[in-house]
Each structure stands twice: as C-alpha cells, then as structure tokens.
Amino acid sequence: MPLTRKAYRAAILHSIADPAEVGIEASYEYFEDGLLVVDNGQISALGHASELLASLPADIEITHYPDALITPGFIDTHIHLPQTGMVGAYGEQLLDWLNTYTFPCESQFADQAHAEEVAEIFIKELLRNGTTTALVFGSVHPQSVNAFFAAAEKLDLRMIAGKVMMDRNAPDYLTDTAESSYLESKALIERWHGKGRLHYAVTPRFAPTSTPEQLTLAGQLLGEYPDLYMQTHISENVQEVEWVKELFPERKGYLDVYDHYQLLGERSVFAHGVHLCDDECARLAQTGSAVAFCPTSNLFLGSGLFNLPMAEKHKLNVGLGTDVGGGTSFSLLQTLNEAYKVMQLQGARLSPFKSLYLATLGGARALRLEERIGTLQPGTDADFLVLDYNATPLLSYRLKQSKSIAETLFVLMTLGDDRTVAQTYAAGNLVHQR
Ligand code: GUN
Ligand code: ZN
C-alpha cells in the first residue's frame, strides 16, 4: 500500500499522565505552534513545527489551522444509543424515569429500520461533538448493536458496544431470557468482536433487571472470549441501591452482587458509582475495574454527586460518560463543565488538565486502550480534533483575554460544546467537518 502522509499544524495539546499521579505540569505536553504527522491512519510524529518541518520532505501536504487547538478525540465511557430520542425527559428520578420514558423509547429498536436510522443519527452526533470512541449500550434487541457496528465500521471508528441483557423487572416487550441473552450476545461477539476497530461489551443492564441465572451466564461469556468488555450500572440512585439489597439479601452490597457473578475485571466499566462506599472503591480498584463519571446525568436525574477524590485516593480508573439520555448532552466539553460544578459542590477542584485527562487518556485507560487512543503519541491511532477558538463570538472574545493554555483550556470546557469542534478525524480520515 502506498504511504499516505499528511501533517496538521496548529496549537497542539495532549495528556500524557494523570495529574493525580504526577502533578499538573508533568501531566501534559503543549506545542504552541505544533505539528502532527499522520501516516496511513496512525500518528507518526508530534512536535514543534519549527523542529519537525526541517526533517520532512518539502512537498508534504500540510493543513494549517490557525486559532485552533488540536487534541486527542474524546472518549465517552458510558452512553445509550436507544435513548437518543428521549434526551431531556421531564420530572422523574431513575426508577420512574426508566419505566415512564426509557423502556417505551427503547422498545422501538425491535424495528431494524428504526435501529439503522437512529444509529446514523447517533454516530453523527458523537462525531459532531468530538467523541471518537464510546462504550455504548444498545437495547435488548441484537439489531440495535448490528445497526451501530455496521455504521461505525463504515467510518473505521474505534467503538465498543453490547446488547442489553435484561430478563426481569422490565416490561415483557423488552425482556429476553437468560438463555436467549447468552446466545444472542454470543452471536454478536462472533460477528463483531475484534473486527476492524470494534469491540464487544457484555451488557447486563443493572442488577435489578437480571436474574441470578442471567448474571451467571454474563460471567461465563466473559470467560469464553479474550478481551471482552463488561458494562453495567452501579449505585446511581438511593432507591436503586435499596432495591438491590432487597433483591439480593444474601450479598454484602451492590458491588458484591457483580463480584459474586465474576463481572469485575480490567475491561469492566461501571456507570455512576455515586453512592459507592470506601470498601467498594477499593475492591473496584483491586480488580482493575473502572467507573464512568456521568455528571450531567447525575444532576439531571437528581442522583447525587460523584466523589472523584475518593476514587483518586483508591487509584480507581475513572472515565467520563455522557449517559445520554439520562445525561443531557453528547458533548464531553459540556460534561466537563458540569463535572467542575459537581466538584465545587463538594468543596473540591477539577483542574482543566485533570478534565482533559478524564476526557482522553483517563477514558482510554479505563478501557485499556491507552496504547491505541487517548493521546497523540506516535504509534497510536490518528483520532484527533480541531477545536475552534472562534466558534462563537463570546468564546472568541473571552479567549482573547486568556493568558495561558490552562485558562484557554478551562474556558473551552466551560463555554464549549459541539460548535467548538470544527473537525473530527478518525484513523486519519476527516469524519466530521462543522
Ligand atoms: N440504570 C439502569 N438502566 C439505566 C439507564 O438506562 N440509564 C441510567 N442512567 N441508569 C440506568
Ligand atoms: Zn446509563
């Protein structure tokens, strides 16, 4: 194959470590006039334009983005495809919200044509918002996952998804059985897991909607194939936590239910974790599991405030999740805006560089994909964004007052949204142009 080489010149910023581990200054690299070189969909060089240009052939194609910032693509570690049509549903907290709005909306995915239509809308929305990798809940219907992966494959995106397993405490029209969920998940794994940049996640919705038999089979699936993911929800809402105690009185608590069925591990991502206790954080960390912090959802559904400092204390892997449609935005910039406020309400700070880490390298680590995505290190996939400093009149004016990249980054995360993302590149291809 002939080499396709392209270079991109702009201000360039990426996370290279967790500020909680190395301190803020050692956690990032910033090139005020930087150059990113991409060979056949992978990053081959990153550095100061003045230094790198000298080493490149004179005829190399260079795209210049003045007044813009290149960052790695954003990583959303928790989102629901079949809830795209019900974002912003009024008035309820988790359990009533599920019954009143969520389940009826997800039922429409029994129809293949509907699944395909929404999958296209959903992927466009991810890319418009700069999300290049997401860990995605489908509906209970295998066609939701087939539609999603088929659309992601066309664009060569790195995506992870799974069919919801749910065999009790939900309407009949939306439940599978322990056996059918096992067989349908297995067929999807055989078809999609490891194909191109796609990965499969075994997806029991949450403990209340699975029988012990179904949770057993979910654990069994994880043992049958290498590198499968597991995604579910945990300790999001106080009533939910109480319900789990009633349903599984023999277990020590919510996490212990999943632990008992062997669902913890290095590729397991638990959404929310708002009401986890110290011991549960320690056990999650010990098993290499990760938590998806979903601030817009936790505020919108009145679930509570995620304790990020406690997770950091335990060295627990944390990624960011939009949790659309419990969350109210596909934008990880807007998600970080709310994350900052969630920390403020707990008397804590969220530095802009920690925020950048959470949206990129932290998410990649939560998904064990840091060798491929989450940074702009040479050798990794060329999934990156061009953020426009002049996206709106207010952003433009505000950034002209900025005295540092820290201030610029923080303002991007406070005022920024989909309008800020001018271009999205995945595997070196331009997949969104505003
Ligand atoms: N817990 C179980 N299902 C869901 C869901 O669809 N969204 C959220 N936010 N929490 C859940
Ligand atoms: Zn969710």
Side-chain angles (χ1 to χ4, degrees), residues 134-367:
L135 175 56
V136 179
F137 268 62
S139 68
V140 75
H141 317 94
Q143 46 270 47
S144 65
V145 174
N146 281 322
F148 174 72
F149 276 145
E153 186 183 34
K154 274 194 283 181
L155 295 171
D156 194 12
L157 304 177
R158 190 172 289 285
M159 290 286 172
I160 315 170
K163 169 210 123 62
V164 159
M165 304 169 79
M166 170 158 74
D167 68 343
R168 66 167 169 173
N169 291 320
D172 290 344
Y173 61 76
L174 215 55
T175 45
D176 49 19
T177 66
E179 192 193 6
S180 73
S181 70
Y182 172 84
L183 293 172
E184 288 173 353
S185 299
K186 206 173 170 77
L188 289 167
I189 293 164
E190 297 276 352
R191 177 162 177 196
W192 295 109
H193 186 55
K195 193 165 188 214
R197 298 207 293 161
L198 306 176
H199 313 258
Y200 193 83
V202 175
T203 307
R205 179 172 213 118
F206 68 154
T209 49
S210 286
T211 58
E213 294 71 37
Q214 186 168 58
L215 294 174
T216 303
L217 288 175
Q220 191 177 316
L221 272 174
L222 291 174
E224 287 179 33
Y225 296 87
D227 298 341
L228 275 181
Y229 288 86
M230 196 295 300
Q231 59 177 343
T232 190
H233 297 89
I234 193 165
S235 299
E236 173 179 5
N237 167 287
V238 171
Q239 280 91 38
E240 171 212 14
V241 175
E242 287 307 309
W243 193 24
V244 172
K245 282 187 195 151
E246 287 166 25
L247 290 168
F248 296 91
E250 72 284 10
R251 303 268 60 95
K252 274 188 299 193
Y254 201 157
L255 183 70
D256 191 47
V257 175
Y258 296 134
D259 207 349
H260 178 76
Y261 293 101
Q262 299 183 13
L263 299 177
L264 278 57
E266 291 199 342
R267 284 179 176 72
S268 295
V269 179
F270 295 86
H272 305 296
V274 169
H275 305 286
L276 290 169
C277 64
D278 246 312
D279 286 354
E280 289 177 316
C281 282
R283 178 66 185 150
L284 283 165
Q286 185 189 37
T287 55
S289 305
V291 170
F293 171 25
C294 307
T296 78
S297 170
N298 297 160
L299 296 172
F300 185 72
L301 293 178
S303 303
L305 305 175
F306 179 67
N307 190 339
L308 182 62
M310 176 160 88
E312 281 181 340
K313 185 182 80 183
H314 290 282
K315 298 192 172 13
L316 175 54
N317 274 328
V318 176
L320 272 184
T322 60
D323 193 32
V324 161
T328 49
S329 174
F330 275 79
S331 169
L332 282 176
L333 294 172
Q334 271 310 295
T335 302
L336 287 167
N337 185 21
E338 300 306 296
Y340 178 79
K341 297 169 192 171
V342 165
M343 290 307 113
Q344 279 280 39
L345 285 168
Q346 300 177 93
R349 291 267 177 85
L350 188 61
S351 90
F353 294 104
K354 178 71 185 198
S355 289
L356 176 70
Y357 173 79
L358 287 173
T360 58
L361 179 55
R365 285 185 175 166
L367 302 174

Side-chain angles (χ1 to χ4, degrees), residues 71-82:
T71 68
F74 296 143
I75 299 172
D76 186 343
T77 61
H78 183 66
I79 187 167
H80 298 257
L81 160 71

